[in-house]
Amino acid sequence: MVRELTPELSAIAKKDLNEHPKQLANDLTNLKEWISKQPHLKARTDDQWLAALLRGCKFSLERAKSKLDLFYTLRSTAPDVTLRLKPTEPAFIEFLRLGTCLILPQPKNLHPTVIMIRPGAFDPEKYNGADIMCILYYLVQILVMENDVAAVMGTMILVDYQNVTMSHLTQANPSLLKKLVAVSQDSLPLRLKGSHHVNVPPGIEIIFKLVSGFLGEKAKQRLRIYKCYDELLEILPKDTVPVEYGGSGGSVKEIIEYWENKIVEYRPWLEEEMKYGTDESKRVNKDNFDVSNQGSFRTLDID
């Protein structure tokens, strides 16, 4: 079963995503049949999950198949990102509590969901930037199961570099950056509507240059850099921004607690999720994927 969209969201989904409610059941059936015929793929087939995936691909079945395959392929071929912290283990909650990855409250207006990344909030002697992406990888799955606005309107990334040091920056090698982009841009079932960066430290330019080589053209065009938090409030709804940043979207502590409770609530769902992935020895067509950790990943357009 798939939740019925509100009339306003339904109109947007029809116009922007090519969604037709009467066709949705047939699209889900086609996608499930395709999954069942892939010998290498063990994937979740919940209707709500697959509906979010279809929305993220503007109801292109071929794009949805590619994205779904890549999502679970990365579970098997890039475990140093996707399985770095398992959401069913205490270490996941421990890192979540640092507040390095915050999915901010959904604003009252129909606005893309804002995901805030704070890389300066972790100790680079103890953790790695890949831990943030691992947290995001699982939080997004819960997000799309619950938030139809995010599924239809997409997401925006907000990165605050406050307290980022050279030790943080030196972790960002090209191989890791490629995997992070593959996970965040190419495999997650949400459309990326832009990325916003504030408190950018000296030396970050080289990382931007490396990352831009893996980004699609739309992602490059939607990357923005700001000098201060006040500039962010000019482009983001105030009711989604944490109070520490001048907004009214609750405190960072409250946002962390909300998502910690969600992880606990979804524990059975996440335990099941840990069983999914790919067996690359059974893959029939390997043309689209290089399964080595050093391999390149096919770029999917974002919107």
Side-chain angles (χ1 to χ4, degrees), residues 134-285:
C134 187
I135 292 284
L136 175 62
Y137 180 76
Y138 292 102
L139 292 188
V140 161
Q141 293 177 63
I142 297 175
L143 176 68
V144 299
M145 291 297 290
E146 296 201 338
N147 189 332
D148 293 329
V149 177
V152 172
M153 303 300 295
T155 60
M156 299 173 72
I157 301 293
L158 168 59
V159 186
D160 177 15
Y161 296 87
Q162 186 174 23
N163 297 325
V164 166
T165 67
M166 189 55 65
S167 294
H168 290 93
L169 298 180
T170 54
Q171 293 182 350
N173 61 73
S175 176
L176 176 60
L177 290 173
K178 183 183 293 185
K179 293 174 185 177
L180 297 184
V181 171
V183 171
S184 62
Q185 174 184 270
D186 299 339
S187 78
L188 294 180
L190 287 172
R191 296 180 301 143
L192 180 60
K193 304 297 290 185
S195 62
H196 305 274
H197 304 259
V198 66
N199 290 322
V200 177
I204 198 72
E205 294 86 359
I206 188 170
I207 294 179
F208 279 167
K209 186 175 182 179
L210 286 170
V211 169
S212 67
F214 309 130
L215 295 177
E217 284 304 314
K218 289 181 181 178
K220 293 178 185 178
Q221 295 169 7
R222 293 172 178 173
L223 190 153
R224 299 286 184 270
I225 297 176
Y226 303 88
K227 296 179 180 179
C228 62
Y229 300 137
D230 288 343
E231 291 183 354
L232 286 173
L233 290 173
E234 294 177 3
I235 56 97
L236 295 177
K238 191 173 183 179
D239 59 344
T240 196
V241 178
V243 294
E244 291 88 343
Y245 294 84
S248 59
S251 68
V252 168
K253 182 175 183 292
E254 289 170 337
I255 295 169
I256 293 171
E257 289 177 349
Y258 174 87
W259 284 102
E260 182 177 344
N261 289 334
K262 282 295 175 186
I263 292 296
V264 173
E265 177 186 341
Y266 271 78
R267 184 178 178 85
W269 195 89
L270 291 166
E271 287 176 343
E272 180 184 346
E273 183 64 26
M274 292 295 95
K275 301 175 183 178
Y276 299 127
T278 61
D279 182 344
E280 294 303 322
S281 68
K282 296 180 180 179
R283 184 185 291 276
V284 176
N285 185 350

